[in-house]
């Protein structure tokens, strides 16, 4: 149980995938203009991350490792992630066409989100078991969602504020992201993991 | 050699399994129609004037859903472009001058002395805002008129005028407070386009 | 005294009330001209009942209410109606609106009026109708028609009546003086209102800076049979706001988007209450009110009992204004009032104060500086809103978010702008956002309505198309069946159904002739083709051609016979004048359009310019010809008439004049009620009618068109 909790705290706060490990910055910057889009994206990514983390673990432990084909992990994981993303896309298109339209190209781009592949590969590196993989994937997703939602909320406020003209748009967004990252690095040392 | 074969087989097997899953999912989660078109159509001003190049507002909504530019509607003006940009999460570009300029709201008016009762304007009006019949006087119901301009062309005696709606106490709007002066020295005289966009 | 609750926020601006309470209420001098806007209240504007030039008496109704939410308008003094038209009115826009202008004759003559003997015997609806006809509207600032408020008891459970005597805004002392001098009128009004609404509890909410008024009220209410409480609330702006006062006195909050009646409370201003008393007991309509004239630029700040419609200039003169000291003229109070540009604006039912301010008293607003997010505005907002967020949303035009943050619950009291350290004009931002949202919603409704009409029209056109198709099919079947019957040698009914009318016959013959002609053409073509190619049976084709020729000739003959025979009024003696006129107009328009097209082509450098020019010349010719033909026909008609010794032009003019005279008399008849006058007019009317008919007949003879 403590392990589970430790993994969660680590992935959500201490080693936040977006703000500390700097993975998955593409949707972080691209979808964070509006809060609704950000929330939709974080739900989609949570689903993809958790599912692909589990599937990757299963593929690795059931197929690749017994046959000594560990070198195929990258391509196999990409395959898994691509399928999960496609599946998610279809579900989103059916359940919420609005969200589908809003997310636009960023939905299929979750495939190339390095955080997703990162989670899959890190699971292997850390030699996580099945339950730990789920926790790791889910924790990573929660950390990503939190960072994304916080950032989009800040960006919405900044959009109507008196920002100096040279800084408007992406520039002030980057500055803000940097400051958030600094804040999250304060969690370092919270958990020895 | 066998390791390569196993590798290929395993990958092939994975691909087949995933392919089946996706195939099933694509049938199960099929999406009929395009509800986004309704949402776009709800934002357009429904003048059915054709200035965007499409024969009505619904065809233009469908075109936008297929990726056409959102800045072709002069009666909607900049506020419609911003609303569409908000809905579709694209950039709000200025109105395309090729399709017309944003003019103040107008309504049609028939000079009754010259009307010959030919019903050509009645057939042209997309919202049936003209009252009349063959050889009877025609008149425009001002409350229903959307100012689309389609009745002016067909009139053979050119008796229809477009007059701007005048501002009275009933439809007067509070103006926005004057812009505050830029305290940031480096902002003065620069970035006007961005400033306009931001406000 | 009962328990007093509190509301969130509020400010304590300097009161500045002592200046105008030193002297008692004085009656303002009678002005020369009175300007009465038709819209002094919430709802539909009143509709004028008098004409220019009419003499009106004091208290006479000059405009009646339109619709349920509206108020009547009465003449404040006797005089002549000088004009009915646009005139500057007290409105932030500075735009004109329709007013009735009365020039007073100095006599101040009242119209016949009397109060209701015992209003308790009257049906409640009739009593409220009487109040409506006296034009009583809310005098606290909003101007909501009082009769509509009194009807609230019909559909809501009202258990509390609150009389708003707070008058929280600085400078204004009109209600204070009213309570000091006419407290019995207020009590009378409360009695009437509570008879109508039957509340179980009545409270008068008054601020603690009005000790004199409180004493007067207490003495007047001694021994009153009603359950009236005087609740003294601490002086704070804006405790006089309806929702804030309700929260102060009852601890209840009026729901967002709702009215106080939703929680069983009705709120009335003291001034309105006194007006109700006068309306019911004396039959006096609302024609005057107490206005505080104050500010550093007047020598004698005071409260004047002014007639509605008095221009501000007259009141300022009565208070001895220093023109050179006057920097800003404000209608209303310093927090919620509006600056007016000139002093010809009239007093209306909701004008409670005029501030003639010097520059020191009301300096120009300092420039707006950036928001420092200090949140002072949130601390003082009496409606517990987030003014800072509303400011950002209004500035960034994010109106959906502003609406979500309850922008429409803002009462525009100005407390937030008062405390802002950056001098941001917050209330202007909210007003701007509100009007933008209202306009957008109105446009959205219009667009939805237009879409419905468009879709209905499409459906109708489709339906008509289908019906046409169905009819065509039916006719085709009919024809096929007839064909079949004829083939069987039966004597069938004529091909054209119900051809007993000569018009139908002519039409049928025309079609037959056309068909025969087409057959002829086809036969001719076939023959020519055969001759060229040298194939086919030439002889047979030639025979077919001959037959077709005979057929065509016969059909044409029959048609001509029918046409010449059935010439009942169809054959025009001469060219139809109207048709020629139309043809000329059409030709002119075609010409204009061609000219425009040519100019357009030339400007844009399009192709086909020469072709357009050629078309233009042809159209010019045609237009000239049409014009000439029309003129010639007109002249010939005139000549024909002149030949008979009749001047057609003069005849036309006389006929038109006669018709106009008839209409005028008819109108006059509809207006007069006096019997004798009616008979006189009726005789004149018959004579005029005869004359008009005679002239018309003669005209018809010479102008068959």
């Amino acid at each position: 149980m403590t392990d589970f909790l430790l993994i969660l705290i680590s992935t959500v706060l201490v080693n936040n995938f977006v703000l500390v490990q700097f993975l998955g910055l593409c949707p972080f910057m691209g979808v964070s203009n509006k809060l609704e889009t950000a929330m939709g994206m974080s739900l989609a990514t949570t689903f993809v991350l958790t599912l692909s983390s589990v599937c990757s673990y299963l593929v690795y432990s059931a197929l690749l490792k017994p046959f000594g084909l560990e070198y195929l992990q990258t391509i196999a994981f990409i395959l898994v992630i691509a399928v999960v993303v496609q599946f998610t896309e279809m579900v989103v298109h059916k359940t919420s066409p609005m969200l589908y339209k809003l997310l636009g190209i960023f939905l299929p781009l979750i495939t190339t989100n390095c955080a997703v592949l990162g989670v899959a590969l890190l699971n292997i590196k850390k030699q996580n078991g099945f339950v730990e993989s789920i926790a790791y994937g889910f924790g990573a997703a929660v950390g990503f969602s939190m960072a994304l939602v916080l950032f989009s909320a800040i960006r919405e406020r900044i959009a109507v504020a008196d920002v100096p003209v040279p800084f408007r748009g992406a520039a002030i967004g980057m500055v803000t992201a940097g400051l958030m990252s600094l804040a999250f690095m304060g969690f370092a040392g919270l958990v020895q993991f | 050699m066998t390791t390569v074969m196993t590798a290929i087989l395993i990958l092939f097997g994975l691909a087949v399994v995933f392919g089946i899953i996706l195939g099933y999912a694509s049938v199960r989660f099929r999406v009929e129609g395009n509800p986004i078109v309704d949402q776009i159509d709800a934002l357009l001003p429904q003048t059915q004037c054709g200035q965007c190049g499409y024969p009505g507002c619904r065809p233009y909504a469908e075109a936008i859903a297929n990726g056409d530019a959102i800045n072709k509607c002069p009666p909607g003006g900049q506020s419609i472009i911003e609303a569409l940009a908000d809905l579709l999460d694209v950039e709000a570009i200025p109105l395309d001058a090729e399709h017309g300029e944003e003019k103040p709201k107008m309504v049609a008016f028939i000079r009754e002395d010259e009307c010959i009762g030919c019903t050509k304007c009645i057939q042209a009006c997309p919202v049936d805002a003209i009252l009349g019949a063959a050889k009877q006087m025609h008149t425009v119901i001002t409350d229903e008129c959307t100012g689309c301009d389609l009745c002016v062309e067909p009139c053979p005696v050119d008796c229809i005028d477009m007059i701007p709606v005048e501002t009275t106490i009933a439809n007067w709007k509070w103006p926005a407070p004057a812009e505050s002066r830029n305290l940031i020295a480096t902002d003065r005289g620069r970035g006007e386009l961005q400033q306009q966009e931001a406000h | 005294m009962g328990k007093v609750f509190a509301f969130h926020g509020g400010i304590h601006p300097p009161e500045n009330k002592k200046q105008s309470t030193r002297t008692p209420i004085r009656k303002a001098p009678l002005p020369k001209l009175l300007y009465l806007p038709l819209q002094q209240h919430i709802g539909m504007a009143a509709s004028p009942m008098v004409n220019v030039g009419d003499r009106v008496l004091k208290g006479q109704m000059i405009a009646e209410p339109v619709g349920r939410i509206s108020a009547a308008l009465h003449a404040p003094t006797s005089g002549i109606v000088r004009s009915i038209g646009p005139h500057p009115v007290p409105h932030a826009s500075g735009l004109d609106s329709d007013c009735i202008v009365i020039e007073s004759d100095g006599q101040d003559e009242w119209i016949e009026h009397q109060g209701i003997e015992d209003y308790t015997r009257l049906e409640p609806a009739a009593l409220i109708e009487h109040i409506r006809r006296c034009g009583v509207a809310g005098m606290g600032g909003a101007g909501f028609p009082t009769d509509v408020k009194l009807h609230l008891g019909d559909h809501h459970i009202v258990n509390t009546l609150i009389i708003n005597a707070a008058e929280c805004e600085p400078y204004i002392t009109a209600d204070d003086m009213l309570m000091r001098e006419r407290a019995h009128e207020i009590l009378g009004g409360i009695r009437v209102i509570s008879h109508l609404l039957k509340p179980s509890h009545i409270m008068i909410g008054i601020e603690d800076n009005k000790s004199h008024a409180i004493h007067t009220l207490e003495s007047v209410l001694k021994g009153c049979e009603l359950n009236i409480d005087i609740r003294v609330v601490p002086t704070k702006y804006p405790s006089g706001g309806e929702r804030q006062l309700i929260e102060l006195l009852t601890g209840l909050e009026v729901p967002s988007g709702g009215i106080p009646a939703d929680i069983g409370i009705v709120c009335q201003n003291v001034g309105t209450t006194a007006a109700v008393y006068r309306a019911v007991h004396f039959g006096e309509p609302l024609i005057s009110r107490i206005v505080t004239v104050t500010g550093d630029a007047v020598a004698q700040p005071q409260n004047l009992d002014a007639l509605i419609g008095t221009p501000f200039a007259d009141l300022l003169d009565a208070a001895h204004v220093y023109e050179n000291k006057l920097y800003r003229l404000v209608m209303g109070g310093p927090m919620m009032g509006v600056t007016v540009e000139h002093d010809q604006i009239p007093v209306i039912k909701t004008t409670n104060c005029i501030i003639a301010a010097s520059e020191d008293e009301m300096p120009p607003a300092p420039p707006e500086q950036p928001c420092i997010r200090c949140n002072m505005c949130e601390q003082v907002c009496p409606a517990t809103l987030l003014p800072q967020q509303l400011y950002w949303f209004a500035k960034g035009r994010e109106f959906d978010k502003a609406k979500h943050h309850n922008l429409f619950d803002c009462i525009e009291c100005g407390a937030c702008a008062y405390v802002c350290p950056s001098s941001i004009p917050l209330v202007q931002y909210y007003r701007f956002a509100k009007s933008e949202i209202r306009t957008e919603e109105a446009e959205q409704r219009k667009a939805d309505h237009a879409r419905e009409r468009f879709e209905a029209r499409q459906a109708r056109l489709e339906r008509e198309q289908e019906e046409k198709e169905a009819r065509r099919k039916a006719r085709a079947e009919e024809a096929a069946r007839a064909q079949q019957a004829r083939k069987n040698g039966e004597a069938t009914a004529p091909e054209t159904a119900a051809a007993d009318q000569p018009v139908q016959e002519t039409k049928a013959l025309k079609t037959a002739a056309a068909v025969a002609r087409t057959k002829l053409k086809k036969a001719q073509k076939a023959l020519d083709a055969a001759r060229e190619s040298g194939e086919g049976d030439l002889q047979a084709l030639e025979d077919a051609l001959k037959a077709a020729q005979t057929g065509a000739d016969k059909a044409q003959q029959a048609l001509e016979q029918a046409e010449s025979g059935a010439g009942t009024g169809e054959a025009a003696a001469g060219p139809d004048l109207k048709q020629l006129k139309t043809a000329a107009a059409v030709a002119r328009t075609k010409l204009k359009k061609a000219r425009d097209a040519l100019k357009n082509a030339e400007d844009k450098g399009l192709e086909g310019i020469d072709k357009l020019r050629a078309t233009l010349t042809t159209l010019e010719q045609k237009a000239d010809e049409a014009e000439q033909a029309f003129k010639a026909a007109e002249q010939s008609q005139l000549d024909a008439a002149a030949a008979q010794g009749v001047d057609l032009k003069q005849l036309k003019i006389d006929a038109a004049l006669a018709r106009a005279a008839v209409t005028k008399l008819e109108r006059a008849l509809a207006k007069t009620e006096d019997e004798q006058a009616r008979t006189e007019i009726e005789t004149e009317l018959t004579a005029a009618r005869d004359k008009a008919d005679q002239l018309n007949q003669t005209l018809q003879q010479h102008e068959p068109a």
Side-chain angles (χ1 to χ4, degrees):
Chain A
M1 194 58 210
T2 11
D3 274 350
F4 203 64
L5 219 55
L6 282 175
I7 293 179
L8 273 180
I9 294 180
S10 157
T11 43
V12 172
L13 291 176
V14 181
N15 290 322
N16 188 294
F17 268 75
V18 178
L19 295 172
V20 179
Q21 300 194 49
F22 302 120
L23 295 175
L25 289 177
C26 175
F28 181 70
M29 283 295 169
V31 187
S32 53
N33 276 313
K34 274 170 63 176
L35 194 55
E36 291 92 37
T37 340
M39 290 207 274
M41 175 56 121
S42 46
L43 278 174
T45 313
T46 308
F47 184 67
V48 168
L49 256 175
T50 322
L51 199 54
S52 62
S53 174
V54 169
C55 288
S56 323
Y57 173 79
L58 288 173
V59 164
Y60 186 79
S61 51
L63 280 178
L64 298 181
K65 205 147 114 176
F67 292 98
L69 298 169
E70 291 88 341
Y71 61 91
L72 283 181
Q73 66 184 359
T74 316
I75 192 169
F77 292 169
I78 291 283
L79 192 57
V80 169
I81 294 168
V83 168
V84 175
V85 170
Q86 261 300 88
F87 184 73
T88 311
E89 207 182 316
M90 282 186 227
V91 172
V92 169
H93 196 32
K94 178 82 174 179
T95 52
S96 171
M98 185 80 269
L99 185 60
Y100 183 77
K101 195 82 193 174
L102 277 178
L103 289 176
I105 194 66
F106 286 101
L107 193 49
L109 275 182
I110 301 178
T111 320
T112 57
N113 188 345
C114 39
V116 184
L117 184 59
V119 161
L121 290 174
L122 282 170
N123 263 332
I124 309 302
K125 188 164 134 205
K126 290 190 195 297
Q127 294 164 337
N128 282 333
F130 181 66
V131 175
E132 283 148 346
S133 301
I134 303 177
Y136 199 73
F138 183 68
V142 169
F144 176 83
S145 312
M146 192 178 71
L148 187 56
V149 167
L150 283 174
F151 189 54
S152 67
I154 297 178
R155 273 192 103 176
E156 273 201 344
R157 288 237 179 162
I158 290 180
V160 289
D162 281 333
V163 180
V165 172
F167 277 88
R168 290 204 185 136
I172 196 70
M174 293 284 185
V175 171
T176 315
L179 289 170
M180 280 176 78
S181 181
L182 265 179
F184 268 72
M185 286 184 186
F187 287 117
L190 181 66
V191 160
Q192 294 296 338
F193 191 64
Chain B
M1 195 55 207
T2 37
T3 40
V4 176
M5 280 310 298
T6 6
I8 294 175
L9 272 173
I10 285 186
L11 281 178
F12 185 67
L14 269 179
V16 165
V17 169
F18 288 146
I20 291 173
I21 293 177
L22 280 182
Y24 169 71
S26 73
V27 169
R28 172 84 174 73
F29 293 110
R30 188 186 298 278
V31 174
E32 304 293 343
N34 201 350
I36 194 98
V37 177
D38 286 324
Q39 282 156 324
I40 297 176
D41 192 37
L43 286 176
L44 294 177
Q46 303 303 320
T47 50
Q48 323 289 350
C49 61
Q51 286 181 49
C52 54
Y54 297 91
C57 296
R58 185 120 193 136
Y60 184 40
E62 286 166 8
I64 293 179
N66 286 333
D68 200 353
I70 59 172
N71 63 344
K72 294 191 183 171
C73 179
Q78 197 61 32
S79 58
I80 293 275
I81 294 177
E82 281 171 17
L84 283 170
D86 230 12
L87 176 73
L88 304 168
D89 211 25
V90 294
E91 225 183 279
I93 36 187
L95 186 62
D96 192 352
E98 218 185 287
H99 293 272
E101 286 151 6
E102 193 169 352
K103 287 186 289 230
K105 287 250 169 299
M106 311 244 210
V107 283
F109 178 74
I110 294 179
R111 293 196 298 275
E112 296 182 2
D113 294 331
E114 298 167 35
C115 174
I116 58 171
C118 69
T119 75
K120 289 230 173 67
C121 59
I122 296 180
Q123 292 161 32
C125 176
V127 291
D128 285 341
I130 305 186
L131 192 61
K135 297 241 167 70
Q136 309 286 333
M137 181 57 67
H138 298 344
T139 188
V140 175
I141 308 172
T142 328
D143 283 339
E144 303 288 354
C145 175
T146 59
C148 72
D149 229 15
L150 287 175
C151 55
V152 181
E153 267 298 305
C155 177
V157 293
D158 201 23
C159 69
I160 304 187
D161 287 326
M162 298 300 293
I163 43 181
V165 178
E166 58 166 311
T167 316
T168 58
I169 283 195
N171 58 9
W172 177 78
K173 288 198 311 188
W174 280 95
E179 281 298 317
S180 56
R181 62 162 203 259
N182 270 324
L183 282 185
I184 303 172
T186 48
D187 272 351
R188 288 187 200 135
R190 103 206 270 205
E192 290 210 359
L193 186 62
Q194 281 164 300
Q195 285 185 337
Q196 277 167 23
E197 266 181 47
H199 297 297
Chain C
M1 306 288 156
K3 178 165 164 48
V4 165
F5 301 82
F7 65 87
H8 175 265
I11 51 175
H12 298 98
E15 284 174 25
N16 279 308
K17 293 197 190 233
K18 294 235 162 45
Q19 300 98 298
S20 44
T21 52
R22 285 191 290 246
T23 51
I25 303 174
R26 186 164 76 94
K27 202 162 153 68
L30 193 64
K32 196 86 195 63
L33 282 169
L34 289 157
Y35 303 91
L36 296 147
L38 293 170
Q39 174 109 46
Q40 300 182 25
H41 51 269
I42 292 176
M44 297 281 301
S47 162
M49 287 168 68
V50 293
N51 293 318
V52 177
D54 288 357
R55 179 159 191 271
V56 292
L57 295 172
K58 183 167 175 136
Q60 177 178 337
M61 196 192 286
I62 54 176
E64 54 184 356
V66 175
R68 193 175 78 93
I69 304 184
S70 188
L73 187 59
H74 300 77
T77 186
S78 56
I80 313 271
V81 176
R82 274 286 160 246
S83 70
I84 302 178
H87 189 266
V89 291
H91 191 262
S93 62
L95 292 172
D96 291 355
S97 181
D98 285 337
C99 296
I100 298 179
V101 183
I102 298 180
E103 183 181 342
S104 67
D105 58 6
Q107 291 167 20
D108 219 25
E109 192 186 328
W110 266 102
I111 196 174
E112 279 272 334
H113 65 283
Q114 68 178 59
I116 299 174
E117 274 291 326
D118 186 1
Y119 63 85
T120 50
R121 283 182 193 280
L122 221 57
E123 280 284 322
L127 181 56
I128 300 178
E129 179 63 27
H130 174 85
I131 296 174
R132 176 177 161 98
R133 294 200 76 74
C134 287
V136 181
M139 294 163 69
F144 195 75
T146 308
D147 56 283
V148 181
K149 230 181 203 176
L150 293 173
H151 269 301
L152 280 172
D154 298 346
H155 296 286
H156 296 261
I157 303 169
V158 175
N159 49 39
T160 312
L161 174 65
I162 292 181
I163 304 296
N164 192 340
E167 202 168 49
C168 53
E169 202 165 350
Y171 284 95
I172 309 180
T173 52
D175 288 346
D176 188 2
M177 299 305 292
L178 178 74
M179 285 186 282
R180 290 189 201 189
E181 301 187 13
R182 303 179 191 177
H184 59 285
E185 288 186 10
I186 299 172
L187 177 57
I190 295 178
R191 285 205 171 99
V192 174
I193 297 176
S194 87
H195 165 76
L196 284 167
L197 294 174
K198 301 207 184 350
S200 50
H201 193 186
I202 304 172
M203 290 188 271
I204 301 180
I206 186 166
E207 281 190 335
D208 58 15
N209 57 4
K210 302 179 182 53
S211 43
H212 192 154
I214 296 172
H215 282 310
T216 320
L217 279 175
E218 278 177 345
S219 56
V220 162
L221 290 177
K222 236 196 272 280
C224 173
E225 76 287 4
L226 291 173
N227 178 14
I228 306 182
D229 260 342
I230 300 180
R231 295 275 178 93
V232 180
V233 299
T235 301
K236 189 162 74 160
Y237 177 81
S239 56
E242 194 179 51
R243 286 155 194 250
Q244 282 64 44
L245 189 64
I246 289 174
E247 199 175 344
L248 270 176
L249 298 181
T250 63
L252 296 171
E253 278 187 33
V254 178
S256 164
I259 56 171
D262 292 339
I263 50 173
I265 300 172
V266 169
C267 196
Q268 285 285 8
N269 175 269
V270 276
T272 320
T273 315
V276 166
Y277 168 79
R278 290 210 80 84
V280 168
H281 283 267
F282 301 110
E284 284 179 16
L286 179 54
I287 52 169
S288 67
R289 66 158 297 144
I290 301 175
V291 180
T292 309
V293 182
T294 179
D296 279 347
V298 288
Q300 297 165 9
Q302 60 191 276
N303 278 285
L304 292 166
D305 191 348
L307 293 175
I308 310 279
T310 309
F312 284 4
D314 290 25
L315 294 179
L316 288 171
D317 284 339
H320 305 294
V321 65
Y322 297 123
E323 285 291 342
N324 49 358
K325 238 181 155 187
L326 178 59
Y327 174 74
R328 186 197 288 258
L329 192 55
V330 175
M331 174 188 71
M335 304 296 300
M336 294 182 73
V338 168
T339 305
V340 292
E341 295 304 319
H342 59 92
D343 54 15
Q344 286 308 309
I345 309 261
V347 167
I348 57 174
K349 292 177 183 173
T350 54
T351 308
N352 47 14
C353 179
I354 301 174
I355 306 179
S358 62
E359 187 162 0
D360 286 334
E361 198 173 14
M362 285 194 186
E368 178 189 340
Q369 290 175 320
C371 172
I372 58 173
R373 301 179 185 265
C374 65
N375 230 18
M376 286 292 300
C377 49
E378 188 273 329
Q379 290 177 23
V380 299
C381 179
T384 59
L385 300 172
L386 294 175
Q388 194 198 121
Q389 286 306 102
L390 292 175
Y391 162 71
W392 289 121
F393 296 143
K395 200 153 186 257
R397 298 189 64 102
E398 293 189 340
F399 298 126
D400 281 333
K401 294 216 192 96
K403 218 162 77 163
H404 188 68
H405 278 73
N406 302 108
L407 173 66
F408 281 97
D409 284 333
C410 168
I411 61 172
E412 296 177 19
C413 66
C416 50
Y418 183 80
V419 296
C420 180
S422 303
S423 318
I424 301 175
L426 290 167
V427 181
Q428 319 304 3
Y429 277 99
Y430 307 149
R431 285 175 173 155
F432 161 69
K434 282 184 193 172
S435 56
E436 287 291 312
I437 292 174
R438 284 194 196 111
T439 320
E440 267 178 32
E441 285 180 353
E443 277 177 16
Q444 185 64 30
R445 273 196 301 269
K446 197 151 194 270
D448 287 339
H449 184 71
R451 187 184 317 116
E452 276 173 39
R453 282 185 77 94
F454 177 64
E455 283 171 3
R457 180 191 140 92
Q458 297 290 79
R460 172 175 62 91
L461 290 174
E462 264 182 44
R463 208 178 354 117
E464 282 175 5
Q465 199 71 3
E466 281 170 21
E467 283 176 7
K468 219 195 267 183
E469 277 299 315
R471 256 183 280 140
R472 196 185 312 168
K473 254 197 224 138
R475 244 183 293 136
E477 282 171 19
E478 188 60 49
R481 242 181 292 130
Q483 195 101 357
Q484 203 64 25
R486 227 181 324 117
K487 272 211 181 122
N488 296 348
E490 282 180 60
T492 52
E495 285 159 2
T496 53
D500 27 315
Q501 285 182 5
V503 181
Q504 290 275 44
E505 260 189 10
T506 330
K507 242 194 187 162
L509 284 172
K510 260 197 201 153
T511 339
V515 167
R517 272 199 298 273
T518 333
K519 277 209 191 119
L520 179 62
K521 266 199 206 136
K522 276 202 192 137
Q524 184 72 42
K525 254 199 212 149
L527 187 60
D528 291 334
R531 281 211 184 110
E532 274 191 20
S533 58
E535 285 176 12
D537 191 353
L538 281 176
Q539 187 58 38
L541 283 172
E542 277 178 359
D543 287 335
L545 182 64
K546 279 216 190 84
Q549 188 77 41
T550 359
D553 288 337
K554 263 208 205 127
Q556 189 65 24
Q557 268 185 344
L559 180 65
E560 277 171 359
Q561 264 186 345
E563 277 194 329
S564 58
T568 47
E570 289 276 342
D576 193 358
L577 201 64
K578 260 220 178 100
Q579 276 180 358
L580 282 175
K581 193 172 179 191
T582 324
V586 171
R588 264 201 308 273
T589 322
K590 280 209 187 120
L591 183 63
K592 182 167 175 285
K593 284 202 183 142
R595 278 215 186 98
D596 286 337
L598 180 63
K599 188 166 182 306
N600 192 26
E602 279 174 351
D603 285 342
K604 293 202 181 150
L606 297 173
E607 298 174 342
I609 290 187
D610 296 322
K611 208 165 154 210
L612 280 171
R613 283 217 185 93
T615 334
L616 191 66
T617 355
T618 345
L619 282 176
E620 272 174 357
Q621 268 184 327
K622 281 216 181 102
D624 286 333
E625 279 174 3
E627 191 69 36
Q628 278 179 350
F630 171 57
K631 286 243 163 64
E634 209 180 27
Q635 192 57 38
S636 72
Q637 202 189 57
L638 277 174
D639 290 339
Q644 301 191 14
V646 172
D647 184 354
L648 206 62
K649 261 212 182 107
Q650 188 59 36
L651 192 61
K652 274 193 197 156
I653 297 172
D654 288 336
L657 281 173
R659 260 176 278 148
V662 170
T663 337
K664 190 163 174 215
L665 283 169
E666 281 174 346
R667 256 200 232 130
L669 189 66
K671 273 230 167 86
T672 19
E673 316 240 322
D674 184 27
E675 272 307 310
Q676 204 188 13
R678 278 183 82 89
T679 7
E680 278 179 17
I681 297 178
E682 269 170 16
T683 6
E684 278 180 42
L685 188 60
T686 359
R689 278 210 184 110
D690 288 336
K691 188 169 172 214
D693 285 336
Q694 222 184 16
L695 284 169
N696 256 344
Q697 272 183 352
T698 342
L699 194 60
Q700 294 278 28
Q701 281 177 349
H702 295 280
E703 200 178 72

